Amino acid sequence: LARSAASALSATAPSHLHATHTTPHPTPTHPPTHTHTHTHARTMFRLATTSRVLRRATTGGAASRRAASTAVGIDLGTTNSCVATMEGKEPRVIENAEGGRTTPSVVAFTKDGERLVGVAAKRQAVTNPENTVHAVKRLIGRRYDDPITAEDKKLVPYKIVRADSGDAWVEAGGKRYSPSEIQAMVLTKM
């Protein structure tokens, strides 16, 4: 079922929704928008498509129809992340603790040992760059000796280190974290 949903998403999404940038190129049908609006539109498209796939994949019984009528979509992005639900035909973006519709995919560790996630982490990134981790999604599944990892090491202020398994991990706040652990911290915040 998950593979079906992923296949449908990649096969049916308009090309401008696959872009790696956060704001779309202006076109007659898609004028320039704020990052949050673009993220919201992309998430809503994914939710609608996932909901259609789930409806097709489930069969029989009231429980199956009820399960297919509510879908949760998570856009765990490199820059920002978003969670939304789709109940029937009505999408609803779930706001984070600060009231925002998107959460920056940033995690920071202070000198006091406190962990900051989202907006708070992003705000202090200038004064604590070595312990502020962002764009870690690019490292998921990468080996430390991968040429792309070598390029990433030149671009980020935090340390990218070799894990015992040979994977690329990050070091911040005096500890080592896998990219998945950092992304899980962002997901927990949302």
Side-chain angles (χ1 to χ4, degrees):
L1 183 61
R3 282 192 201 127
S4 298
S7 298
L9 287 176
S10 62
T12 59
S15 61
H16 73 278
L17 295 180
H18 287 293
T20 56
H21 53 78
T22 55
T23 47
H25 293 292
T27 64
T29 59
H30 201 310
T33 57
H34 190 269
T35 302
H36 298 270
T37 304
H38 179 61
T39 301
H40 173 70
R42 185 176 59 225
T43 301
M44 289 302 103
F45 176 81
R46 288 179 181 164
L47 281 172
T49 306
T50 303
S51 182
R52 284 194 301 272
V53 170
L54 287 172
R55 274 193 220 105
R56 274 189 242 129
T58 56
T59 57
S64 294
R65 285 191 295 278
R66 208 171 23 257
S69 66
T70 301
V72 176
I74 300 171
D75 181 3
L76 197 55
T78 305
T79 307
N80 290 296
S81 297
C82 181
V83 176
T85 61
M86 186 100 166
E87 295 180 15
K89 294 183 179 182
E90 292 299 316
R92 182 176 158 269
V93 175
I94 299 172
E95 295 177 350
N96 60 24
E98 291 86 21
R101 294 163 67 92
T102 60
T103 300
S105 299
V106 181
V107 176
F109 301 91
T110 66
K111 293 175 184 167
D112 302 333
E114 185 181 3
R115 181 176 71 199
L116 305 173
V117 181
V119 175
K122 189 174 180 179
R123 282 189 189 134
Q124 62 79 62
V126 174
T127 59
N128 185 21
E130 298 85 16
N131 294 309
T132 303
V133 181
H134 59 89
V136 73
K137 181 178 164 184
R138 294 176 49 82
L139 297 176
I140 293 177
R142 292 229 184 265
R143 306 291 290 171
Y144 181 79
D145 54 4
D146 187 313
I148 294 173
T149 303
E151 288 298 315
D152 286 347
K153 285 172 53 177
K154 296 174 190 173
L155 299 174
V156 297
Y158 54 87
K159 291 181 185 173
I160 298 176
V161 297
R162 180 188 304 270
D164 294 338
S165 63
D167 290 342
W169 282 25
V170 296
E171 187 175 308
K175 295 182 182 175
R176 291 178 168 206
Y177 300 94
S178 73
S180 299
E181 283 180 282
I182 299 293
Q183 287 296 91
M185 292 174 193
V186 173
L187 188 57
T188 302
K189 173 72 173 178
M190 298 177 355

